[in-house]
Amino acid sequence: MRKVSGRRELIRLYVGFFTDEKGHKECRNVPLVPENDPTVLFTTAGMHPLVPYLLGQKHPLGNRLVNVQKCIRTTDIDNVGDSTHLTFFEMLGNWSLGSYFKEEAIGSSFEFLTKVLEIPLERLSITCFAGDKDAPMDTEAARIWESLGIPKGRIVYLPKEDNWWGPAGKSGPCGPDTEMFYWVGPGPAPMVASAQDRGGWMEIWNDVFMQFNKSEDGVFTELAQKNVDTGMGVERTLATLEGKEVFETDAFLPIIAKVEELSGKKYGESESAKKAMRIICDHVKASVFMLAELVVPARIERGYVLRRLIRRAIRYGRELGISGRFAKEVAKSVFEVYPDYTHLSDNRDFILSELGAEEERFSEVIDQGIKYFERAKAEAVAGTIDGKTAFLLYQSFGFPIEMTEELAREAGIKVARDGYEREAARHQELSRTASAGVFKSGLADNSAETTRLHTATHLLHAALRKVLGPNVEQRGSNITPERLRFDFSWGEKMTPEQVAQVEGIVNENVAHALDVTREEMNPAQAKAAGAMGIFGEKYGERISIYTVHGPAGVASKEICSGPHVTNTRELGHFRIVKEEASSRGVRRIKAVLEK
Ligand code: SER
C-alpha cells in the first residue's frame, strides 16, 4: 500500500488523478458560509454549491469537476468525543454533470484506490442499493465492480437507509449510491454476507448516482441529466491507510500535542482524557474556520453554533484539568495544520481575539453555572430538570441548552426540553429555536415558493435602495417556503409611509410582468454592469447575474446563483409583515407573497 505522508499529499494525489488523467477541472473550495443559499447554515458536502448544476444549469468549468471541500456538519456535535465524529472535515469529490455515469465513475474509483493508493483488492468490499418501490436494485453497479475483480461475496445489497444519498432537504437531486469499504479489522478480510457482518470494514468513499429528483410530495422522477457525486473524507481515509484513528493523523497531531502540553496529560492515558482532547481539538478547529469567515459568537444561527462549540471546548478543558485560558493557544496549532488555507492567517488577529473574548465571557460564569447545575440536579423532581431552571442556566450562566442536556445525561437525569422551549419563547428566544431546523437541512430548497421569494428579495432590495437611498446594503437573507427575511444596513425604524412605498414599488414590478434573465460574466464585468453583490474574493471566475427588466430600464441587477422566476407576474401580491431591528445599524424585514 502506498505511504501517504498526510492530508496535503492525499489531496494532491486525488485532485491530480482526476485533473491529469481523467480530464476533470478543479472547482473552488467554497466558503463554509454558503454564498447563495440562505436555507442552510454551513456547507456540508462538496456537492452543496453544485446543486443548480446537478439540476441542469451549465457549470462554467464544464461537466467533469473535482475538488477538496471544507465542510461543517452540526447534526452530531454531541457525538464528537468518540473516535470517529468530526464537526469540521475535508471532503474529496469528483463530479459528472451529465458526462460519465456508473461505468466510468466506478472504474475511476477502483483505479484510484487500487493503483494510486495501492490498496490490495482483498481489503475492499462494496455495498450497492438493494432496490425498492422508488428505484430498482442496482445490479449494474454490482456488475461493474465484479468485472473489475471484486468477488461476489464482497458485494452486499442494502436498502435506502444505507445506499441512497439525498436529497438532504425536502426535494432535489438524489439517487442510489455504492460505497467502498476498507478492511481495518484483525487478520485477513472476511467475505461479507450482510450488513451485520461489517465489523472491521470502514467506509472510505461514496459514489452517488444522482439520477432522480425527489419532489416535495415524495415522488421520484428520473432526471434528464444523469450525474455522479462522490465523496471521500480526507481525515478518515488518511486514518484508514495509516491504521490509526482520525485524531492521530496530521490533520490533528499538532493540535493534540498542544492540548497535551497545556494539560500535562497524554492523549492515550485514559478514555476520559481522550474524549476531552478530541472535543477540544475538533471544536477549536471548527471555531477557527468559522471565525475566519467572520462568523462571531451570537444567540442565533451560525453564531450560536460557534458559541456552543467554544463553550463545550472550554467545559472539557476544565474536565481535563487545564487551569487558565487555553483556547487561543490551541487555535495557534490549528494554523500550523492548515498553512494552505491562507484565509486563516489573513484573519489571525481577529480569530484569536474573538475566540479569547468568548472564552473570557464564559470562563467568568462557568464555575458558578456548574454549581447551579449541581444544585438543580439534587433538587430535580422525578429525575428531570425543569424548563425554567434550564433557561436560567442559559440566561444567567450562558449554558447552551445542549450543554445542560449533556451534563444531565452524564448524571443520568433528564431536562424538560419542551419546558425550556416554552420559557425561551416567552423570553423571545424563539428565533434561535426556529433556526435549529436549518441545521439539519442540507440542500437548497428549490421549490416554486422559495423561487418566487428569491426574486421578491431582489425586488425588495432594489426598492429599499430607491426609497431609503444607496446606503442600504444587504446584511443577510433567509428564505423558507412561507416567507422571506431580509436584513439590511439602516439605522432607524422605517416609517409606515416608507414601508408602504417599498411595498408599492415591488407590487408595481409584479403588475408590470417583467422578464427576469440570467447571464454569466466575471466579477469585473458584473461590477462594471452595476450588479449588486459583495465584491471580493468570495466569487469565482464566472458568476451568474439575474436582471429584472423594468419598463424604463433595469429594475434590479444582482449577483446570485438563483433560482429565480422568469417573469415577475408569477410572484403574486407582496406584503411586508414586519419591520424590526435586527442588530445595531441593521433592520430586518419579513415579507410574504399572497396569491
Ligand atoms: N454527497 C455525498 C456525501 O456527502 C457524496 O459526496 O457523502
Side-chain angles (χ1 to χ4, degrees), residues 44-47 73 91-93 95 165 203 206-208 210 229-232:
T44 60
M47 55 79 68
R73 290 193 182 173
M91 188 191 275
L92 292 159
W95 294 275
W165 206 88
E203 185 205 334
N206 184 10
D207 286 0
V208 187
M210 295 207 151
D229 156 42
T230 91
M232 174 190 259

Side-chain angles (χ1 to χ4, degrees), residues 193-383:
S194 70
Q196 281 72 47
D197 293 342
R198 304 212 62 87
W201 293 101
M202 174 79 94
E203 185 205 334
I204 50 175
W205 201 352
N206 184 10
D207 286 0
V208 187
F209 305 115
M210 295 207 151
Q211 61 191 106
F212 291 96
N213 187 52
K214 187 179 178 190
S215 70
E216 279 190 45
D217 37 22
V219 180
F220 293 85
T221 43
E222 285 265 350
L223 276 174
Q225 179 177 300
K226 305 268 182 287
N227 309 289
V228 175
D229 156 42
T230 91
M232 174 190 259
V234 169
E235 296 80 1
R236 193 191 282 191
T237 303
L238 273 181
T240 309
L241 292 172
E242 294 174 18
K244 296 174 179 165
E245 57 172 68
V246 288
F247 296 95
E248 296 166 323
T249 65
D250 80 327
F252 278 101
L253 274 181
I255 318 177
I256 293 273
K258 177 54 79 178
V259 180
E260 287 185 327
E261 181 194 317
L262 290 165
S263 65
K265 299 216 163 96
K266 283 277 158 231
Y267 177 67
E269 74 174 50
S270 67
E271 275 312 307
S272 61
K274 266 193 186 173
K275 179 177 176 185
M277 287 194 196
R278 288 166 181 160
I279 289 170
I280 294 167
C281 292
D282 169 88
H283 287 10
V284 172
K285 184 197 276 193
S287 301
V288 165
F289 273 90
M290 288 185 195
L291 287 160
E293 292 185 20
L294 311 186
V295 175
V296 290
R299 294 152 73 92
I300 58 166
E301 299 188 341
R302 294 182 189 98
Y304 179 77
V305 177
L306 173 59
R307 173 159 280 169
R308 235 180 106 185
L309 290 170
I310 298 174
R311 296 190 171 192
R312 188 162 181 250
I314 290 165
R315 187 200 143 201
Y316 276 93
R318 300 202 160 220
E319 302 269 314
L320 202 55
I322 303 179
S323 56
R325 313 293 186 250
F326 64 93
K328 285 203 274 189
E329 284 310 306
V330 179
K332 287 178 192 164
S333 61
V334 177
F335 294 97
E336 277 172 47
V337 173
Y338 297 100
D340 42 337
Y341 283 113
T342 51
H343 72 300
L344 297 189
S345 41
D346 291 348
N347 293 298
R348 189 181 170 98
D349 292 346
F350 174 82
I351 294 168
L352 294 178
S353 78
E354 288 290 328
L355 187 60
E358 179 67 7
E359 179 172 30
E360 208 48 56
R361 275 191 289 270
F362 193 50
S363 298
E364 276 166 20
V365 288
I366 182 172
D367 288 337
Q368 277 171 286
I370 297 278
K371 273 199 205 114
Y372 188 86
F373 174 84
E374 291 301 330
R375 223 172 22 233
K377 185 173 88 181
E379 289 164 8
V381 179

Side-chain angles (χ1 to χ4, degrees), residues 60 62 86 89 183 233 307 361 411 449 472 498 573 584:
L86 298 176
F89 62 98
W183 178 251
R307 173 159 280 169
R361 275 191 289 270
E449 288 79 9
V472 166
Q498 286 168 333
H573 185 260
R584 211 184 159 76

Side-chain angles (χ1 to χ4, degrees), residues 552-574:
V554 166
S556 147
K557 194 184 255 311
E558 235 182 275
I559 299 172
C560 180
S561 71
H564 285 276
V565 300
T566 51
N567 189 291
T568 58
R569 78 167 81 83
E570 296 167 47
L571 299 189
H573 185 260
F574 174 82

